[in-house]
């Protein structure tokens, strides 16, 4: 018997998961309470930018295996139900808001058939899965709940879903593992590492992985601060330590730090949960990781002031990049936009360019100025800031921009541009964590 799958919540994670599960040959229905999302997905339009996903969505819709609905009764014949709703930071604190996961469970529990398995994929505070499982079993004791955290990166969502680095399944019952083995049989045949855990460990794997990644970035940004003070170069330092396989070279890109909808809120929610559990001391260091990260944004603004003047009023500044990282149109907690807004708040005239995120940036910060092309963005600028490392910015010919700006100075907030190339073209080039600022 073939497995039928439902995906509850069709945001970033859910839309990707539903599409990829369909591409593996399963019949999938994606359900969301937001009719706009469902309408858009049903028409083959992804409401955000993610390479490869829209093409795949259209193929899967045509195959007839993938459908979307706002009606929860559409899931009643499904065998496995993935919960993919968001857990944003609460408005008045640092904890995660679990409202949507509980609402999703409450909506599906009375509808799902006996023998079906609910699988949480959302990033949740440890202990949530067990609570949800108890709640589900009270409503229908002939069902079960497992946890299967996702590790997908924006910009690589399809690749990370179809070929994950590992699959982690938190189960309370071996039957749940057997069902998940069937769902992921292709990955198992491809030798993807399969890790079976209890429910709390599976929840912790996800948040500790993100905490580790955040720590790595803040570590190199702390080294950048020391390099600046000592006249060193953090890019050379990162390269040198990265050759040690125990350290590894990835996630050692110093700059304006991490943002997005995951790392910042996940480390904060992790601290909040540890405090509830009486283990706050264990995660005290994450407070420092968060501070180093936010300090990277202030250090960038210090560089701007050092270059132009303490008083930024009336200064024309061009900002290249608005997304929290390249290959994404996501501007949630974007370091680039945060810096742009702060500089504008200090009186500067800021114009922002981004290949994909302008629409989202404008909706969030309408007071900033936006440009459709790199050329119009930098026109008459007294200073150019490179804040999101899109490929198009690395491909800029600095000679071509020279005649457009009022003053050829660029600050590389991502340490991704070729300093020698820009200098040879006649630019003043500065960067975070490198001497000669
Ligand atoms: C992150 C994790 O990498 C995924 O494994 C995880 O599944 C996901 O969160 C999630 O929890 O859903 P993502 O938010 O897409 O993925 O972005 P990352 O690639 O981790 O980048 C996060 C931020 O760190 C970006 O602002 C990026 O510019 C910054 N970064 C990254 C650096 O400043 N330096 C680096 O060396 C690497």
């Amino acid at each position: 018997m073939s497995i039928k799958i439902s995906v509850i919540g069709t945001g970033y994670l859910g839309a990707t998961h539903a599409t990829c599960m369909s591409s593996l040959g399963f019949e999938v229905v994606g359900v969301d309470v937001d009719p706009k999302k469902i309408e858009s997905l049903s028409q083959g339009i992804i409401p955000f930018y993610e390479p490869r996903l829209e093409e795949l969505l259209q193929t899967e819709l045509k195959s007839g295996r993938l459908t979307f609905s706002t009606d929860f009764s559409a899931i009643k014949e499904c065998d496995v139900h993935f919960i993919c709703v968001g857990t944003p930071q609460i408005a008045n604190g640092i904890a995660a808001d679990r409202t949507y996961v509980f609402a999703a469970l409450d909506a599906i529990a009375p509808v799902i058939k006996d023998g079906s398995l609910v699988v949480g994929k959302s990033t949740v505070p440890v202990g949530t899965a067990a609570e949800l499982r108890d709640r589900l079993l009270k409503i229908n004791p002939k069902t079960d709940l497992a946890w299967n955290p996702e590790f997908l990166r924006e910009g690589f969502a399809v690749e990370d879903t179809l070929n994950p680095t590992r699959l982690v399944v938190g189960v309370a019952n071996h039957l749940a593992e057997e069902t998940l083995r069937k769902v992921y049989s292709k990955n198992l045949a491809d030798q993807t590492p399969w890790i079976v855990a209890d429910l709390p460990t599976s929840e912790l794997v996800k948040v500790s992985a993100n905490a580790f990644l955040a720590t790595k970035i803040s570590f190199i940004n702390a080294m950048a601060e020391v390099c600046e003070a000592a006249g060193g170069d953090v890019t050379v330092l990162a390269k040198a330590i990265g050759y040690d396989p125990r350290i590894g070279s990835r996630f050692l890109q110093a700059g304006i730090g991490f943002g997005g909808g995951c790392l910042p809120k996940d480390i904060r929610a992790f601290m909040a949960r540890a405090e509830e559990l009486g283990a706050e001391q264990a995660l005290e260091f994450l407070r420092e990781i968060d501070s180093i990260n936010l300090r990277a944004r202030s250090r960038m603004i210090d560089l701007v002031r050092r270059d132009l003047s303490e008083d930024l009023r009336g200064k024309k500044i061009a900002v290249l990049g608005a997304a929290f990282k390249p290959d994404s149109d996501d501007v949630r907690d974007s370091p680039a936009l945060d810096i742009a807004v702060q500089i504008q708040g200090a009186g500067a005239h800021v114009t922002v360019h981004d290949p994909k995120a302008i629409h989202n940036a404008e909706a969030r910060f309408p007071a900033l100025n936006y440009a459709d092309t790199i050329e119009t963005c930098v026109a008459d600028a007294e200073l150019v800031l490179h804040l999101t490392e899109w490929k198009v910015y690395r491909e800029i010919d600095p000679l071509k921009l020279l005649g457009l700006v009022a003053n050829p100075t660029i600050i590389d907030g991502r340490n991704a541009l070729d300093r020698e190339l820009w200098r040879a073209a006649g630019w003043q080039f500065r960067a975070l964590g490198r001497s000669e600022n």
Side-chain angles (χ1 to χ4, degrees):
M1 188 201 71
S2 69
I3 294 175
K4 285 188 187 156
I5 291 176
S6 88
V7 173
I8 315 302
T10 58
Y12 194 85
L13 167 63
T16 308
H17 194 65
T19 307
C20 290
M21 287 294 114
S22 167
S23 82
L24 291 174
F26 295 109
E27 204 176 297
V28 181
V29 55
V31 179
D32 202 292
V33 290
D34 180 351
K36 271 200 278 182
K37 263 188 209 157
I38 293 301
E39 200 187 312
S40 168
L41 291 167
S42 303
Q43 287 170 2
I45 300 163
I46 297 282
F48 49 85
Y49 174 70
E50 178 61 40
R52 286 181 63 196
L53 187 56
E54 199 159 88
E55 260 169 72
L56 194 60
L57 170 70
Q58 288 167 6
T59 310
E60 293 314 310
L61 287 172
K62 271 192 209 117
S63 77
R65 286 189 297 269
L66 180 60
T67 53
F68 292 95
S69 176
T70 51
D71 180 359
F72 279 88
S73 68
I75 70 168
K76 60 177 192 279
E77 295 308 320
C78 295
D79 309 284
V80 178
H81 308 273
F82 284 102
I83 296 186
C84 294
V85 295
T87 49
Q89 189 172 326
I90 53 169
N92 54 353
I94 61 167
D97 182 351
R98 305 190 305 165
T99 316
Y100 305 109
V101 260
F102 279 91
L105 186 91
D106 290 345
I108 66 171
V111 180
I112 61 177
K113 65 180 184 185
D114 290 357
S116 60
L117 179 67
V118 176
V119 184
K121 285 195 87 64
S122 310
T123 302
V124 289
V126 59
T128 304
E131 252 183 83
L132 290 168
R133 186 168 184 271
D134 287 349
R135 198 161 165 135
L136 174 67
L137 296 193
K138 274 191 197 121
I139 299 169
N140 185 344
K142 291 185 178 153
T143 59
D144 196 7
L145 183 138
W147 215 257
N148 169 221
E150 55 83 21
F151 304 101
L152 62 85
R153 298 159 296 167
E154 296 194 14
F156 300 89
V158 173
E159 170 64 19
D160 287 350
T161 305
L162 291 176
N163 301 302
T165 47
R166 74 288 205 192
L167 282 160
V168 177
V169 293
V171 292
N173 181 319
H174 76 279
L175 279 176
E177 190 201 338
E178 270 174 39
T179 305
L180 285 166
R181 277 186 174 272
K182 285 183 201 146
V183 171
Y184 292 117
S185 60
K186 180 172 179 305
N187 301 104
L188 286 168
D190 293 344
Q191 310 296 323
T192 303
W194 178 259
I195 294 153
V196 183
D198 51 34
L199 292 175
T201 307
S202 66
E203 293 165 303
L204 283 170
V205 167
K206 170 63 197 228
V207 279
S208 57
N210 275 2
F212 190 87
L213 293 171
T215 302
K216 216 173 166 190
I217 300 168
S218 278
F219 173 84
I220 202 64
N221 283 333
M223 294 308 110
E225 289 185 43
V226 179
C227 280
E228 275 171 19
D233 184 329
V234 74
T235 62
V236 178
L237 182 145
K239 195 169 166 186
I241 63 172
Y243 277 117
D244 183 334
R246 293 170 303 173
I247 297 174
S249 60
R250 300 178 73 183
F251 270 63
L252 282 184
Q253 188 82 17
I256 57 173
F258 58 82
C262 301
L263 299 194
K265 70 112 178 142
D266 285 355
I267 59 168
R268 291 172 196 151
F270 200 11
M271 283 187 271
R273 184 64 185 135
E275 192 171 344
E276 283 170 9
L277 293 167
E280 65 268 34
Q281 232 185 336
L283 297 190
E284 195 54 52
F285 74 98
L286 286 179
R287 218 171 287 286
E288 195 52 37
I289 298 307
D290 204 5
S291 318
I292 295 167
N293 190 51
L294 295 177
R295 207 153 65 222
R297 303 177 190 187
S298 320
R299 285 168 42 237
M300 185 72 194
I301 298 169
D302 290 346
L303 274 189
V304 171
R305 288 190 197 280
R306 206 181 308 161
D307 196 81
L308 289 172
S309 89
E310 266 307 309
D311 184 2
L312 293 178
R313 276 176 300 176
K315 300 287 182 197
K316 286 198 80 173
I317 300 176
V319 168
L320 299 179
F324 86 102
K325 70 173 198 181
D327 295 314
S328 166
D329 65 356
D330 195 342
V331 297
R332 284 176 296 168
D333 198 357
S334 163
L337 269 186
D338 188 10
I339 290 166
V341 167
Q342 288 193 50
I343 295 174
Q344 168 123 333
H349 182 274
V350 180
T351 307
V352 181
H353 174 268
D354 191 282
K356 295 284 178 199
I358 288 301
H359 184 71
N360 287 342
E362 214 163 4
R364 210 166 264 229
F365 299 110
L368 286 167
N369 307 294
Y370 295 95
D372 290 337
T373 66
I374 296 172
E375 289 75 17
T376 50
C377 177
V378 304
D380 300 323
E382 292 162 83
L383 181 63
V384 178
L385 307 181
H386 174 244
L387 301 185
T388 311
E389 68 278 33
W390 285 92
K391 188 161 166 271
V392 283
Y393 300 145
R394 287 200 298 281
E395 288 168 348
I396 290 174
D397 178 353
L399 262 181
K400 283 198 182 142
L401 291 198
L402 203 60
L404 302 176
V405 294
N407 178 41
T409 302
I410 184 159
I411 308 180
D412 186 2
R414 290 294 186 180
N415 280 306
L417 301 176
D418 182 341
R419 179 168 71 178
E420 304 323 315
L421 186 79
W422 284 77
R423 285 197 172 153
W427 286 73
Q428 293 280 335
F429 187 99
R430 308 187 205 294
L432 279 179
R434 301 179 86 177
S435 48
E436 301 174 70
N437 281 324

